Amino acid sequence: MYKKIESVLIAGAGAIGMMVAGKIFDSGKFDMTILAEGERSQRYKEKGLSINGQKYNFKLSSDSKHCTFDLIIVACKFYSLKNVIDDIADFVGRHTIIVSLLNGITSENIIGAEYGIERLPLAMIAGNDSQHKETNVTYTQIGKIHFGDINGSITERDALLKDFWRECDFPFEYHKTDMLQTLWYKLMMNVGINQSQALFLLPYSAFSNNSEMAIPEAITIMKKAMREVIEIARAENIILNESDIENCCQTISQLCGTCYTSMCQDLLAGKKTEIELFADTVCEYGRKHNIKTPLNEMLSLAIRVQEKKNLLGFN
């Protein structure tokens, strides 16, 4: 059904999408295009796109009409996903593989409902510290792509993706049996660090035990939010524990101390966050299993206050 990956479309030119796009482009082995139509296309052409201070002359989809791609990487914000699903319709062919790098545990099913779940492995990226401002992205840690099939089988699709990431020289790990648990692990990390950063508008150093700038009370809140994920995960037969929290803390300590998570970046830029993917998901599963999730209920409310504070122009 699938074929060797030669052409790639990046849907979402933010912190993750641009970082991945740069690595693919630099390999010189693939025909790569950024999804950009209308005003966005014009803005990219006028301002240019840069990664770590280097300008990139990416092809744009506005110049690639009636063309399908071997691989589409979806890296937009969750609140833009519906529009992106519509926008990629002309570019999905019979052989197209789709990889979602969105946060959370729901995007594969949402995209799969439109284009076929068989096209999508479970996938995520972790361990990166990319920052996005206007048309510029910077990072010090590129992280690693994790992917695998929910059934634990190595499919033709996954074999092609392994070859692709290898040719891009992008760090990756294929999970034959535990990818669903890995997604829940990433959810736990996001629920902890993304939301705690957004609540206090603090960088990674405040949450790193190895930093002189660490704030123990902030770290305590982060860990308590993660523990609520552990409880709902167990109800879903996903095993997470305290050692996983400590592994998250170790990852956080290795990231750029002055950098921020995507959720915190959104608030600092006056934008909407992806709160639906984090606290709201935890609370929804809590209601499903009759498990109390008081801290995430508070975080959902508090971060929405931050969003509305920006919207209303409060200092």
Side-chain angles (χ1 to χ4, degrees):
M1 178 179 179
Y2 306 108
K3 63 187 185 70
K4 185 180 187 304
I5 296 169
E6 297 177 340
S7 60
V8 185
L9 177 69
I10 303 290
I16 298 299
M18 283 273 285
M19 183 181 69
V20 174
K23 196 71 171 172
I24 298 170
F25 186 91
D26 287 343
S27 74
K29 298 177 180 178
F30 303 95
D31 181 8
M32 204 209 69
T33 301
I34 299 288
L35 180 69
E37 304 290 329
E39 181 276 332
R40 187 181 299 271
S41 172
Q42 188 62 33
R43 176 157 45 89
Y44 290 171
K45 289 178 180 179
E46 290 176 356
K47 293 188 174 182
L49 294 166
S50 71
I51 305 167
N52 285 342
Q54 179 183 343
K55 290 283 187 179
Y56 279 78
N57 187 28
F58 294 127
K59 290 172 59 177
L60 303 178
S61 63
S62 56
D63 303 321
S64 304
K65 293 296 186 185
H66 310 298
C67 168
T68 61
F69 291 84
D70 302 325
L71 172 64
I72 297 178
I73 299 173
V74 180
C76 63
K77 294 292 186 180
F78 180 72
Y79 50 76
S80 300
L81 182 57
K82 184 181 184 303
N83 289 336
V84 165
I85 287 173
D86 292 339
D87 290 344
I88 66 174
D90 290 341
F91 306 112
V92 178
R94 192 176 72 170
H95 304 290
T96 302
I97 298 170
I98 303 176
V99 171
S100 172
L101 296 181
L102 271 71
N103 287 318
I105 56 176
T106 61
S107 63
E108 282 87 0
N109 286 335
I110 294 171
I111 299 168
E114 183 70 25
Y115 294 113
I117 195 66
E118 70 280 355
R119 295 180 187 272
L120 292 95
L122 296 178
M124 65 174 225
I125 185 168
N128 66 286
D129 57 12
S130 54
Q131 309 284 294
H132 178 230
K133 185 175 181 180
E134 296 182 346
T135 58
N136 307 302
V137 166
T138 59
Y139 66 89
T140 65
Q141 300 291 327
I142 199 167
K144 181 187 288 187
I145 299 282
H146 298 258
F147 72 100
D149 191 84
I150 193 169
N151 298 317
S153 58
I154 301 177
T155 66
E156 175 195 17
R157 176 203 65 204
D158 293 343
L160 290 168
L161 283 170
K162 285 198 286 186
D163 290 341
F164 170 73
W165 294 121
R166 195 175 290 114
E167 287 191 61
C168 292
D169 194 28
F170 202 109
F172 75 91
E173 183 173 346
Y174 179 74
H175 296 256
K176 185 176 180 181
T177 60
D178 64 344
M179 190 58 213
L180 186 58
Q181 178 166 341
T182 302
L183 276 185
W184 275 84
Y185 175 87
K186 174 74 180 297
L187 174 66
M188 182 183 71
M189 180 183 287
N190 288 151
V191 163
I193 184 61
N194 287 37
Q195 296 187 138
S196 299
Q197 270 203 0
L199 180 64
F200 299 115
L201 303 179
L202 289 168
Y204 285 115
S205 59
F207 299 89
S208 171
N209 287 321
N210 300 334
S211 170
E212 294 180 354
M213 303 299 289
I215 301 177
E217 294 83 357
I219 295 172
T220 296
I221 289 173
M222 175 182 71
K223 289 183 176 181
K224 284 181 177 292
M226 290 183 185
R227 289 189 185 106
E228 290 186 354
V229 177
I230 288 177
E231 291 301 311
I232 63 169
R234 285 175 178 164
E236 290 285 314
N237 297 314
I238 302 294
I239 305 303
L240 297 170
N241 53 46
E242 284 292 319
S243 66
D244 292 308
I245 292 179
E246 293 310 312
N247 287 338
C248 287
C249 292
Q250 182 62 28
T251 297
I252 290 165
S253 71
Q254 296 170 354
L255 300 176
C256 169
T258 59
C259 294
Y260 298 89
T261 63
S262 58
M263 178 173 270
C264 196
Q265 289 178 58
D266 287 340
L267 284 179
L268 290 170
K271 297 178 181 179
K272 187 185 179 329
T273 72
E274 295 180 308
I275 191 65
E276 296 87 355
L277 290 180
F278 304 143
D280 289 2
T281 296
V282 175
C283 295
E284 181 182 346
Y285 275 93
R287 290 188 293 271
K288 174 183 175 182
H289 295 292
N290 198 27
I291 296 171
K292 294 186 182 302
T293 56
L295 183 52
N296 276 281
E297 289 176 14
M298 184 278 293
L299 287 167
S300 177
L301 293 171
I303 291 168
R304 282 188 165 84
V305 169
Q306 294 275 35
E307 289 179 344
K308 291 181 179 179
K309 174 183 170 184
N310 286 334
L311 184 64
L312 295 170
F314 287 106
N315 293 325

